């Protein structure tokens, strides 16, 4: 069982910044790998950023150097700091939590409802 909720999206001008949050109501959150994806209308879903249980981070080529993913396990929350935003960053952003309901069971993907980010002047 898991619930994932994204927040923080909105309208921002090119060059601006925004912080997205992903809150997960799961046990053993610190063991989970978290991904941020985004999808624009008519386009394929794109992996934006990943943070593992060990704190290792990875980013999609299109956002490297501009976005930063971080986690606060005490709050069961992951953040995506987005800087130097471009119009092409406009999309619905989704949080994906890879979680095990049982300690030795399979990891399953849980998704939030998405939060809209629009970059426009």
């Amino acid at each position: 069982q898991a619930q994932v909720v994204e927040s923080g999206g909105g309208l921002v001008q090119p060059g601006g910044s925004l912080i997205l949050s992903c809150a997960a109501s799961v046990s053993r959150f610190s063991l989970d790998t978290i991904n941020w994806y985004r999808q624009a209308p008519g386009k394929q879903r794109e992996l934006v950023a990943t943070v593992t249980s060990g704190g290792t981070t990875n980013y999609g080529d299109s956002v490297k150097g501009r976005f930063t993913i971080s986690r606060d396990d005490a709050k069961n929350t992951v953040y995506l700091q987005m800087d130097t935003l471009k119009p092409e960053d406009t999309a619905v952003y989704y949080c994906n939590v890879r979680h095990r309901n049982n300690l030795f069971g399979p990891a399953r993907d849980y998704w939030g409802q998405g939060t809209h980010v629009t970059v426009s002047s």
Side-chain angles (χ1 to χ4, degrees):
Q1 295 281 6
Q3 184 176 358
V4 179
V5 180
E6 305 97 333
S7 62
L11 175 64
V12 64
Q13 293 184 336
S17 298
L18 211 57
I19 303 175
L20 305 184
S21 298
C22 171
S25 59
V26 298
S27 60
R28 306 180 303 277
F29 177 81
S30 63
L31 301 181
D32 296 341
T33 292
I34 315 296
N35 303 297
W36 281 100
Y37 287 85
R38 68 185 182 187
Q39 188 166 27
K43 297 183 179 180
Q44 293 183 333
R45 185 184 64 185
E46 176 187 17
L47 178 61
V48 175
T50 298
V51 60
T52 70
S53 62
T56 300
T57 59
N58 286 286
Y59 300 92
D61 289 339
S62 62
V63 306
K64 286 180 179 178
R66 299 189 297 118
F67 290 11
T68 303
I69 188 171
S70 62
R71 65 192 300 158
D72 186 343
D73 290 337
K75 297 181 178 180
N76 275 209
T77 301
V78 169
Y79 304 95
L80 185 67
Q81 173 72 51
M82 306 187 296
D83 298 315
T84 319
L85 284 161
K86 304 175 180 179
E88 48 263 47
D89 295 319
T90 297
V92 180
Y93 285 71
Y94 297 94
C95 183
N96 163 245
V97 179
R98 304 205 70 199
H99 178 69
R100 287 178 168 85
N101 292 316
N102 304 115
L103 281 175
F104 303 103
R108 300 187 182 278
D109 290 323
Y110 294 89
W111 296 86
Q113 81 290 345
T115 185
H116 292 254
V117 173
T118 302
V119 184
S120 177
S121 59

